[in-house]
Amino acid sequence: MDVCMRIKALLAVLLYLGFFLCFYWFARERVLRNWWNRTTESLDAAARQRARQNRARLTLLSERPGPLHRVEQKLVYSGLAVRFPWLTPEVWILMNLGACALGYFAAGVLSGSWLWGLLAILALQGARHCLMGALMGRNYRLVNDNLLKFLDFLGNYSITAGEVTGILNQISKYLDEPLRSVLDACYYEAQTTGDASLALLSMAEKVEHPQFKELVRNLEVSVRYSADFKALVSHSRRAVREYMRTRQERKSMIKEALVNMVILLGMAGVIFLSVEQLIGAGIREILLDTLPGRISLGVIFGIILLFYGQVRKLDR
């Protein structure tokens, strides 16, 4: 017995000593700090390389679709990239992976089932998608509300002013976010680089609104060929009014579709309650504890998600 206790004590001391030496080596060699520095440097280098590629793509007027490019667009359109300049697509993906892993293990440990871990991942991704969609939709509506005001100011200034980026800087103080920051950034980029055309093309990529993109690209063409700004503004104002009229019609269709969806969900609830009364079993247990019930719930949630996606498309 004494021998066993001594062996256990010796193993405990050796184990403690091993951990102590391991942590001492980590601290002395600064392993974690060096790894963190290398990681941040590589992420910054990737972000700079992607920025150069994006600028080259704007110069050549070519599209470069890809997963990272789409993530970067969403971060810019939602305003997160403006509020948090360090939030690159790589960092965003790593944060999402870390949140999913943490949610999976937390739900798995608390419930003891991997199924709840998967549900936690789905819930986190759904919350992320809804948050991103809400931020993008908010910025889209703000740009839409300020677009005619922007055109009115642009038409007034274009009579006397010569440099379009200087006009944008004067107009920006009368507009709301996110247009204010976007116009100011365009002005400072043009002053820094001396390339007003590239600054305008870069500004068009920072806003999701299609009418704003078209207007800015037309401005860039006008700057390049010294065209008449007054005619451009007048044409753009008519196009924006037509777009808003069409968008209002689409919003009426969305409201009608929402009413129909609520009616269908109410009818589904009534049917579930009727089935519960007929078979004498709890509908909750049937939906959650049986395979056909889970498939039914999955189909219902799938229909709701498809409906939400179509509503998002119609609202653009």
Side-chain angles (χ1 to χ4, degrees), residues 178-248:
L179 279 185
R180 181 184 302 170
S181 299
V182 169
L183 296 179
D184 287 338
C186 176
Y187 168 73
Y188 293 127
E189 181 177 350
Q191 293 297 311
T192 303
T193 63
D195 192 343
S197 295
L198 187 57
L200 287 169
L201 291 174
S202 178
M203 180 177 69
E205 294 296 312
K206 297 177 182 178
V207 176
E208 187 181 9
H209 202 288
Q211 291 298 315
F212 182 81
K213 288 179 181 291
E214 182 180 356
L215 171 62
V216 173
R217 286 166 184 161
N218 290 337
L219 281 176
E220 189 272 332
V221 174
S222 300
V223 169
R224 192 187 307 169
Y225 297 106
S226 300
D228 184 11
F229 282 102
K230 193 172 182 179
L232 169 64
V233 171
S234 178
H235 173 74
S236 299
R237 190 181 287 113
R238 289 195 299 269
V240 169
R241 288 200 177 101
E242 179 64 23
Y243 169 81
M244 289 183 174
R245 185 186 64 80
T246 306
R247 188 168 184 265
Q248 190 63 36

Side-chain angles (χ1 to χ4, degrees), residues 10-85:
L10 180 61
L11 289 176
V13 171
L14 292 176
L15 186 63
Y16 173 79
L17 183 61
F19 275 111
F20 174 78
L21 293 175
C22 180
F23 285 118
Y24 176 75
W25 178 76
F26 267 88
R28 190 188 66 178
E29 299 295 330
R30 298 181 177 178
V31 175
L32 294 178
R33 179 179 298 179
N34 293 334
W35 172 81
W36 177 260
N37 291 336
R38 287 194 302 269
T39 302
T40 54
E41 288 175 1
S42 62
L43 290 176
D44 291 340
R48 289 193 297 269
Q49 178 66 21
R50 188 173 55 257
R52 287 193 293 268
Q53 292 175 353
N54 289 340
R55 294 180 71 85
R57 178 178 59 83
L58 291 174
T59 305
L60 299 174
L61 297 177
S62 61
E63 294 292 334
R64 191 180 61 84
L68 285 179
H69 181 64
R70 286 193 290 270
V71 172
E72 185 177 23
Q73 278 187 324
K74 290 183 178 180
L75 291 175
V76 172
Y77 292 160
S78 64
L80 292 175
V82 178
R83 185 171 299 180
F84 308 104

Side-chain angles (χ1 to χ4, degrees), residues 3 7 14 50 58 97-98 106 111 123 132 170 172 183 185 188 200-201 257 259 261 287 291 303 305 308:
V3 175
I7 293 175
L14 292 176
R50 188 173 55 257
L58 291 174
L97 291 176
S111 64
M132 187 72 74
Q170 297 177 51
S172 64
L183 296 179
Y188 293 127
L200 287 169
L201 291 174
V259 172
M261 179 59 70
L287 291 176
L291 182 60
I303 293 173
L305 288 177
Y308 173 75

Side-chain angles (χ1 to χ4, degrees), residues 78 80 92 96 99-100 118-136 305 308 312:
S78 64
L80 292 175
W92 178 254
N96 276 276
C100 288
L118 293 179
L119 291 176
I121 292 177
L122 292 176
L124 287 172
Q125 291 304 307
R128 176 195 61 79
H129 182 74
C130 291
L131 175 63
M132 187 72 74
L135 292 175
M136 292 172 62
L305 288 177
Y308 173 75
R312 285 286 308 276

Side-chain angles (χ1 to χ4, degrees), residues 290-311:
T290 63
L291 182 60
R294 292 173 182 173
I295 293 175
S296 301
L297 280 180
V299 171
I300 292 173
F301 281 117
I303 293 173
I304 293 174
L305 288 177
L306 289 174
F307 175 76
Y308 173 75
Q310 291 300 318
V311 167

